[in-house]
């Protein structure tokens, strides 16, 4: 079997059986990165020498019998995670020279588990976007192609588009992502991957470049639910350095994969059948409902009445928090600096040159809604509605064990197709934002292809800190769907 056909679980087994070494596996992936990244732009920074060093250390651990399920596994690290000695840019010019002297908690946990870092994956600038087109280092290309239009370049989703494209194109075995309003789940759906946003507080945010602090959450992206579970086992856990980290025990998520769904109550929210949603998405949702019913789940109609306000709330809360978090980038202590005639002029020149258009737009929106005279009218009201959205989920989970919805309202679209209208771009997150606002875990699993041959995903939403049920339902959908399609770049 080719090293590019292996899942994490299969690769770990092959490494233990000495069928392949970590150095051989990493060398193969380094070569694939060198060959395909110039086209896809999935990585901002590649680290082939570091990867080989880590692979050699992994082989030593394997020989000593001290290996974990991730020892020797080559992964991509979203360029939002600070990595000691390796440039971390958040896909922004303002952080282009930044080399952190410390390691984020999540990347440190993966490093300790023996994972091999191939490089830092591209993203929307400061994780602000749904298509990976706002990066200061250029857009990412989705490795998937439309059947009848192979020349058109498609977006991979965002903000974790580089992570998604790297895994889909087989130039990483798995990747880390972050999810603020859908930035793991939507790109996973666009690229035929599995990706989970854990419960807010499940994974430490320490050392992750902040976008919106009450929403940001790290999570894994991989080829299937099992690989995501293996990654989350290593990534999750309480961290005293993060005040929002939850002191919750971390179960072995892989144990939930074979539970099945017999006897589970699966909620189907009426509000997610939005007018204008692609009929293929709705048909796939109906198919997912049928799969779960056939496997013994009880299907329950539910209502999440405040869902319709989710996007409006998100695009008040997230920019407000972003305007506060991004105030630190002023050219004084770290990052890029543009000199001026005085301190204020230096601030203005640095931020004007360092931030892209979408980041500036969100800073301005956030500053506006927090300003005197508008705080009560916008930000405070949005927080009240956010509580109502959380209450909707709490009420629903009094009746059901998990909720099934579509992940995104469409398949991947073309570069340039929706870029002129920010509101149209924001609508990509319509199905993912409510779970983020409520802080509940949610996972996208690939469930089929549309008429153009592009992947579509279904989203499973669970109760707070009940990722195990999310994995159980996701694995059941995965098994029923039998999704095994490959993008054009790896299909030949």
């Amino acid at each position: 079997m080719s090293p590019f056909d292996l899942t994490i679980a299969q690769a770990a087994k092959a490494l233990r059986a000495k069928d392949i070494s970590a150095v051989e596996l990493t060398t193969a992936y380094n070569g694939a990165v060198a060959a395909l990244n110039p086209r896809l732009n999935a990585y901002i920074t590649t680290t082939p020498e570091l990867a080989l060093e880590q692979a050699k250390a992994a082989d030593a651990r394997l020989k000593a019998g001290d290996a974990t399920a991730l020892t020797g596994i080559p992964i991509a690290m979203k360029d939002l995670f600070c990595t000691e000695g390796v440039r971390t840019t958040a896909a922004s010019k303002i952080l282009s020279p930044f080399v952190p002297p410390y390691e984020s908690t999540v990347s440190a946990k993966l490093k300790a588990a023996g994972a091999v870092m191939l490089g830092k994956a591209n993203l929307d600038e400061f994780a602000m976007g749904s298509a990976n087109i706002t990066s200061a280092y250029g857009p990412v290309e989705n490795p998937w192609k439309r059947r009848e239009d192979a020349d058109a370049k498609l977006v991979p989703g965002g903000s974790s588009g580089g992570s998604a494209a790297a895994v889909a194109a087989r130039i990483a075995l798995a990747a880390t992502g972050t999810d603020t309003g859908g930035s793991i789940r939507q790109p996973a759906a666009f690229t035929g991957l599995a990706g989970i946003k854990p419960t807010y507080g499940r994974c430490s945010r320490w050392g992750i470049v902040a976008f919106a602090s009450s929403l940001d959450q790290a999570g894994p992206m991989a080829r299937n639910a099992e690989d995501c579970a293996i990654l989350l086992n290593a990534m999750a856990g309480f961290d005293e350095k993060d005040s929002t980290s939850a002191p919750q025990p971390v179960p072995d998520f892989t144990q939930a994969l074979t539970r099945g769904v017999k006897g589970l109550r699966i909620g189907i929210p009426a509000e997610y059948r939005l007018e204008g949603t692609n009929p293929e998405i709705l048909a796939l949702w109906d198919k997912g409902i049928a799969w779960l019913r056939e496997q013994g789940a009880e299907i329950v109609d539910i209502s999440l009445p405040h869902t319709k306000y989710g996007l409006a709330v998100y695009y008040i809360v997230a920019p407000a928090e972003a305007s506060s978090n991004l105030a630190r980038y002023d050219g004084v202590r770290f990052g890029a600096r543009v000199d001026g005639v005085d301190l204020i002029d230096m601030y203005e020149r640095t931020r004007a040159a360092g931030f892209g258009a979408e980041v500036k737009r969100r800073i301005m929106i956030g500053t506006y809604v927090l300003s005197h005279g508008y705080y009560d009218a916008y930000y405070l009201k949005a927080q009240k509605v956010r509580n109502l959205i959380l209450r909707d989920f709490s009420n629903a989970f009094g009746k059901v064990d998990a909720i099934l919805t579509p992940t995104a309202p469409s398949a991947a679209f073309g570069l340039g197709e929706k870029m002129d209208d920010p509101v149209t771009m924001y609508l990509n997150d319509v199905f993912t934002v409510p779970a983020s606002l409520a802080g509940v875990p949610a996972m996208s699993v690939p469930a089929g292809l549309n008429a153009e041959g592009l992947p579509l995903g279904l989203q499973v939403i669970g109760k707070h800190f009940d990722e195990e049920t999310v994995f159980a339902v996701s694995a059941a959908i995965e098994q029923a769907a039998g999704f095994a399609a490959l993008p054009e770049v790896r299909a030949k």
Side-chain angles (χ1 to χ4, degrees):
M1 184 180 286
S2 163
F4 304 112
D5 295 330
L6 299 171
T7 64
I8 290 177
Q10 291 167 338
K13 187 176 179 181
L15 286 164
R16 282 186 171 81
K18 305 292 191 291
D19 294 334
I20 192 171
S21 70
V23 167
E24 289 169 337
L25 186 61
T26 298
T27 299
Y29 273 89
N30 274 343
V33 170
L36 289 177
N37 194 58
R39 168 185 156 184
L40 300 176
N41 199 29
Y43 291 90
I44 292 173
T45 303
T46 57
T47 55
E49 297 86 1
L50 174 62
L52 281 175
E53 284 177 26
Q54 293 176 337
K56 288 173 185 174
D59 277 332
R61 285 183 68 171
L62 285 157
K63 186 176 181 180
D66 181 34
T68 76
L70 288 173
T71 301
I73 302 298
I75 67 171
M77 191 72 64
K78 185 175 181 179
D79 201 18
L80 211 62
F81 293 83
C82 287
T83 42
E84 184 178 4
V86 178
R87 186 172 70 139
T88 300
T89 70
S92 180
K93 288 181 183 177
I94 208 162
L95 279 176
S96 58
F98 179 52
V99 178
Y102 56 89
E103 193 84 25
S104 77
T105 296
V106 165
S107 58
K109 282 175 171 284
L110 292 169
K111 203 178 198 179
V116 172
M117 188 178 79
L118 297 167
K120 305 298 290 292
N122 206 344
L123 63 146
D124 282 298
E125 185 180 5
F126 282 101
M128 298 181 192
S130 302
N132 217 146
I133 57 174
T134 69
S135 170
Y137 302 90
V140 175
E141 182 181 337
N142 192 330
W144 287 84
K145 295 288 187 183
R146 293 173 178 143
R147 276 199 194 110
E148 306 301 325
D149 189 9
D151 293 331
K153 293 182 179 181
L154 306 179
V155 303
S159 66
S160 306
S163 296
V167 180
R170 299 336 194 215
I171 55 175
L173 225 166
T176 61
T178 61
D179 194 308
T180 306
S183 291
I184 287 173
R185 292 160 286 159
Q186 185 247 23
F190 277 15
T191 55
L193 301 178
I196 183 169
K197 179 199 82 70
T199 307
Y200 180 79
R202 174 65 88 180
C203 295
S204 172
R205 294 188 304 108
W206 193 85
I208 300 174
V209 178
F211 165 16
S213 299
S214 74
L215 294 160
D216 297 344
Q217 187 58 197
M221 307 176 75
R223 297 174 194 176
N224 58 24
E226 182 181 25
D227 284 3
C228 284
I230 292 169
L231 281 161
L232 190 57
N233 280 346
M235 295 169 67
F238 175 67
D239 180 11
E240 62 183 13
K241 291 181 288 188
D242 175 11
S243 63
T244 63
S245 178
Q248 293 282 336
V250 180
D252 181 354
F253 297 113
T254 63
Q255 296 298 309
L257 297 165
T258 54
R259 276 188 187 175
V261 296
K262 190 172 182 180
L264 290 182
R265 295 164 298 169
I266 307 297
I268 307 300
E271 291 78 10
Y272 279 60
R273 291 193 181 273
L274 297 176
E275 185 179 344
T277 301
N278 189 311
E280 291 177 305
I281 302 285
L282 298 176
L284 183 70
W285 189 13
D286 289 335
K287 193 179 286 187
I289 293 168
W291 288 334
L292 294 176
R293 184 183 282 119
E294 287 164 6
Q295 294 183 60
E298 179 187 350
I299 304 303
V300 181
D301 290 328
I302 61 169
S303 178
L304 299 170
H306 295 92
T307 292
K308 60 185 176 182
Y309 303 116
L311 272 181
V313 169
Y314 177 82
Y315 281 102
I316 291 172
V317 173
E321 295 184 9
S323 74
S324 176
N325 279 324
L326 270 62
R328 73 194 70 178
Y329 304 107
D330 53 18
V332 175
R333 289 190 150 199
F334 57 88
R337 175 188 295 189
V338 179
D339 290 330
V341 295
D342 56 26
L343 186 63
I344 299 301
D345 189 46
M346 186 272 286
Y347 287 163
E348 292 174 349
R349 289 174 183 269
T350 295
R351 292 164 69 82
F355 290 140
E358 182 61 28
V359 173
K360 290 174 183 174
R361 180 183 293 116
R362 298 199 193 192
I363 290 172
M364 292 298 289
I365 292 170
T367 304
Y368 179 79
V369 301
L370 290 175
S371 62
H372 180 70
Y374 296 99
Y375 179 90
D376 289 351
Y378 292 102
Y379 184 73
L380 194 60
K381 186 174 287 186
Q383 291 289 18
K384 290 177 179 177
V385 179
R386 182 181 184 178
N387 282 332
L388 295 176
I389 291 170
L390 173 58
R391 191 175 70 184
D392 286 350
F393 277 102
S394 298
N395 290 340
F397 285 126
K399 304 171 187 174
V400 300
D401 302 295
I403 295 169
L404 181 69
T405 76
T407 304
S410 71
F413 50 89
L415 277 163
E417 285 182 10
K418 296 185 179 182
M419 297 176 190
D420 296 334
D421 182 0
V423 175
T424 300
M425 291 296 293
Y426 297 165
L427 288 171
N428 284 296
D429 301 327
V430 66
F431 295 138
T432 53
V433 155
S436 294
L437 291 168
V440 292
M443 184 170 191
S444 180
V445 287
L449 299 175
N450 72 358
E452 295 177 315
L454 299 177
L456 302 173
L458 290 175
Q459 178 179 220
V460 179
I461 305 171
K463 302 173 185 178
H464 289 103
F465 298 105
D466 187 18
E467 286 85 0
E468 291 167 285
T469 298
V470 173
F471 276 117
V473 176
S474 297
I477 292 170
E478 198 173 73
Q479 184 178 2
F483 186 88
L486 283 171
E488 175 268 345
V489 76
R490 280 291 174 201
K492 296 176 181 176

